Amino acid sequence: MPAYVLAKSLWGYALQKTPMTGKGLQRLEDELRRLKSVERPAIIRAIAEARSHGDLSENAEYHAARERQSFTEGRVLELEEIISTAEVIDPTTLSGDQVKFGATVTVVDEDTDKEATYQIVGMHEADIKQNLLSISSPLAKALIGKHEGDSVSVPAPGGDRTYEILSVKFI
Protein backbone atom coordinates (compact mmCIF):
# COMPACT_ATOMS: atom_id res chain seq x y z
CA MET A 1 0.00 0.00 0.00
CA PRO A 2 1.51 3.37 -0.96
CA ALA A 3 2.43 5.82 1.76
CA TYR A 4 0.37 8.53 0.14
CA VAL A 5 -3.00 9.11 -1.38
CA LEU A 6 -3.51 11.32 -4.40
CA ALA A 7 -6.11 13.99 -3.73
CA LYS A 8 -7.79 15.91 -6.54
CA SER A 9 -7.22 19.65 -6.32
CA LEU A 10 -7.90 22.60 -8.60
CA TRP A 11 -4.43 22.33 -10.13
CA GLY A 12 -4.28 18.56 -10.57
CA TYR A 13 -3.19 16.02 -8.02
CA ALA A 14 -1.41 16.68 -4.75
CA LEU A 15 0.16 14.39 -2.20
CA GLN A 16 -1.82 14.02 0.99
CA LYS A 17 0.14 14.11 4.24
CA THR A 18 0.51 10.98 6.39
CA PRO A 19 0.09 11.53 10.15
CA MET A 20 3.00 10.29 12.26
CA THR A 21 4.51 10.88 15.69
CA GLY A 22 7.99 12.37 16.03
CA LYS A 23 9.32 9.08 17.41
CA GLY A 24 7.90 7.16 14.45
CA LEU A 25 9.45 9.56 11.95
CA GLN A 26 12.81 9.32 13.76
CA ARG A 27 12.74 5.49 13.54
CA LEU A 28 12.08 5.65 9.80
CA GLU A 29 14.82 8.25 9.27
CA ASP A 30 17.26 6.08 11.26
CA GLU A 31 16.39 3.04 9.13
CA LEU A 32 16.88 5.07 5.93
CA ARG A 33 20.24 6.36 7.14
CA ARG A 34 21.36 2.80 8.03
CA LEU A 35 20.29 1.44 4.64
CA LYS A 36 22.18 4.17 2.81
CA SER A 37 25.34 4.27 4.92
CA VAL A 38 25.74 0.62 6.00
CA GLU A 39 23.68 -1.70 3.80
CA ARG A 40 24.42 -0.14 0.41
CA PRO A 41 28.22 -0.21 0.84
CA ALA A 42 28.07 -3.78 2.17
CA ILE A 43 26.04 -4.88 -0.84
CA ILE A 44 28.42 -3.17 -3.25
CA ARG A 45 31.33 -5.00 -1.63
CA ALA A 46 29.45 -8.33 -1.82
CA ILE A 47 28.68 -7.83 -5.52
CA ALA A 48 32.32 -6.91 -6.27
CA GLU A 49 33.53 -9.97 -4.37
CA ALA A 50 31.08 -12.26 -6.19
CA ARG A 51 32.10 -10.80 -9.57
CA SER A 52 35.73 -11.57 -8.83
CA HIS A 53 34.83 -15.28 -8.68
CA GLY A 54 34.19 -15.38 -12.43
CA ASP A 55 31.14 -16.71 -14.29
CA LEU A 56 28.09 -14.77 -13.05
CA SER A 57 25.47 -17.04 -14.64
CA GLU A 58 26.06 -19.78 -12.05
CA ASN A 59 27.29 -17.59 -9.21
CA ALA A 60 24.82 -17.94 -6.30
CA GLU A 61 26.64 -15.30 -4.22
CA TYR A 62 26.26 -12.75 -7.01
CA HIS A 63 22.54 -13.46 -7.47
CA ALA A 64 21.92 -13.29 -3.71
CA ALA A 65 23.76 -9.95 -3.47
CA ARG A 66 21.79 -8.53 -6.41
CA GLU A 67 18.53 -9.69 -4.83
CA ARG A 68 19.52 -8.05 -1.54
CA GLN A 69 20.41 -4.88 -3.48
CA SER A 70 17.00 -4.87 -5.16
CA PHE A 71 15.20 -5.26 -1.84
CA THR A 72 17.29 -2.54 -0.18
CA GLU A 73 16.80 -0.05 -3.01
CA GLY A 74 13.04 -0.69 -2.95
CA ARG A 75 12.94 -0.07 0.79
CA VAL A 76 15.00 3.13 0.41
CA LEU A 77 12.50 4.45 -2.15
CA GLU A 78 9.58 3.46 0.08
CA LEU A 79 11.09 5.18 3.14
CA GLU A 80 11.92 8.34 1.19
CA GLU A 81 8.31 8.49 -0.01
CA ILE A 82 6.88 7.95 3.48
CA ILE A 83 9.20 10.53 5.05
CA SER A 84 8.42 13.11 2.37
CA THR A 85 4.67 12.90 3.08
CA ALA A 86 4.94 12.68 6.88
CA GLU A 87 3.04 15.19 8.96
CA VAL A 88 4.42 15.06 12.49
CA ILE A 89 1.83 15.41 15.22
CA ASP A 90 3.08 15.84 18.79
CA PRO A 91 0.61 14.10 21.15
CA THR A 92 1.83 16.17 24.12
CA THR A 93 0.30 19.29 22.51
CA LEU A 94 -3.15 17.65 22.46
CA SER A 95 -5.62 17.38 25.32
CA GLY A 96 -9.13 16.30 26.21
CA ASP A 97 -10.92 13.05 26.88
CA GLN A 98 -11.82 12.31 23.25
CA VAL A 99 -9.79 9.67 21.41
CA LYS A 100 -7.82 11.02 18.45
CA PHE A 101 -4.48 10.47 16.75
CA GLY A 102 -1.65 10.29 19.28
CA ALA A 103 -3.89 9.41 22.23
CA THR A 104 -2.80 6.75 24.69
CA VAL A 105 -5.97 4.80 25.41
CA THR A 106 -6.59 2.23 28.12
CA VAL A 107 -9.42 -0.16 27.33
CA VAL A 108 -10.90 -3.20 29.01
CA ASP A 109 -12.35 -6.15 27.11
CA GLU A 110 -15.88 -6.42 28.51
CA ASP A 111 -15.94 -10.22 28.04
CA THR A 112 -12.58 -11.11 29.62
CA ASP A 113 -11.94 -8.04 31.84
CA LYS A 114 -8.45 -7.89 30.34
CA GLU A 115 -7.02 -4.35 30.26
CA ALA A 116 -4.73 -3.07 27.52
CA THR A 117 -3.14 0.30 26.79
CA TYR A 118 -2.37 1.46 23.24
CA GLN A 119 -1.10 4.62 21.62
CA ILE A 120 -2.80 5.44 18.32
CA VAL A 121 -0.08 6.16 15.75
CA GLY A 122 0.44 6.33 11.99
CA MET A 123 0.22 3.18 9.91
CA HIS A 124 3.96 3.14 9.15
CA GLU A 125 5.00 3.21 12.81
CA ALA A 126 2.49 0.73 14.24
CA ASP A 127 3.88 -2.14 16.28
CA ILE A 128 1.40 -4.09 18.38
CA LYS A 129 4.25 -5.65 20.43
CA GLN A 130 5.06 -2.12 21.64
CA ASN A 131 1.34 -1.26 22.02
CA LEU A 132 1.51 1.14 19.05
CA LEU A 133 -1.85 0.78 17.30
CA SER A 134 -2.25 1.86 13.66
CA ILE A 135 -4.84 4.56 13.11
CA SER A 136 -6.17 2.41 10.25
CA SER A 137 -6.73 -0.68 12.45
CA PRO A 138 -10.31 -1.74 13.25
CA LEU A 139 -9.86 -1.04 16.98
CA ALA A 140 -8.42 2.44 16.41
CA LYS A 141 -11.18 3.25 13.92
CA ALA A 142 -13.78 2.22 16.51
CA LEU A 143 -12.09 4.29 19.25
CA ILE A 144 -11.59 7.54 17.29
CA GLY A 145 -14.04 10.22 18.44
CA LYS A 146 -15.16 8.31 21.54
CA HIS A 147 -14.71 9.43 25.18
CA GLU A 148 -13.75 7.89 28.51
CA GLY A 149 -16.54 5.58 29.67
CA ASP A 150 -17.81 4.83 26.14
CA SER A 151 -18.07 1.26 24.86
CA VAL A 152 -17.07 0.30 21.35
CA SER A 153 -17.73 -2.83 19.34
CA VAL A 154 -14.95 -4.10 17.10
CA PRO A 155 -15.37 -6.79 14.43
CA ALA A 156 -12.99 -9.70 15.04
CA PRO A 157 -12.50 -13.10 13.38
CA GLY A 158 -14.15 -14.89 16.32
CA GLY A 159 -17.04 -12.42 16.49
CA ASP A 160 -17.42 -8.84 17.65
CA ARG A 161 -15.42 -7.74 20.71
CA THR A 162 -16.66 -4.99 23.02
CA TYR A 163 -14.27 -2.67 24.83
CA GLU A 164 -14.87 0.04 27.39
CA ILE A 165 -12.59 3.09 27.31
CA LEU A 166 -11.08 3.52 30.77
CA SER A 167 -8.79 6.49 30.08
CA VAL A 168 -7.55 8.78 27.34
CA LYS A 169 -4.20 10.54 27.81
CA PHE A 170 -1.88 12.55 25.61
CA ILE A 171 1.69 11.83 26.69
Side-chain angles (χ1 to χ4, degrees), residues 11-29:
W11 301 279
Y13 291 93
L15 292 178
Q16 201 169 28
K17 293 293 184 178
T18 304
M20 187 173 294
T21 65
K23 286 180 185 177
L25 180 60
Q26 185 63 51
R27 277 194 295 273
L28 294 179
E29 288 173 338

Side-chain angles (χ1 to χ4, degrees), residues 46-66:
I47 289 172
E49 174 69 24
R51 279 188 174 150
S52 72
H53 294 274
D55 185 14
L56 298 181
S57 65
E58 295 181 20
N59 188 329
E61 290 175 9
Y62 175 77
H63 293 291
R66 290 298 303 232

Side-chain angles (χ1 to χ4, degrees), residues 8 18 32 34 39 42 68 101 118 128 135 139 143 153 157-158 164-165:
K8 185 83 169 147
T18 304
L32 180 60
R34 182 186 58 75
E39 290 296 317
R68 189 169 143 214
F101 182 90
Y118 303 104
I128 200 66
I135 192 152
L139 178 56
L143 292 170
S153 181
E164 180 183 347
I165 301 171

Side-chain angles (χ1 to χ4, degrees), residues 129-160:
K129 292 177 184 172
Q130 294 182 22
N131 295 330
L132 299 175
L133 188 64
S134 170
I135 192 152
S136 61
S137 71
L139 178 56
K141 286 180 180 179
L143 292 170
I144 296 292
K146 303 295 190 281
H147 297 83
E148 291 180 12
D150 288 351
S151 287
V152 296
S153 181
V154 181
D160 287 359

Side-chain angles (χ1 to χ4, degrees), residues 26-27 42 54 67 73 117 166:
Q26 185 63 51
R27 277 194 295 273
E67 188 173 310
E73 293 305 319
T117 301
L166 298 179

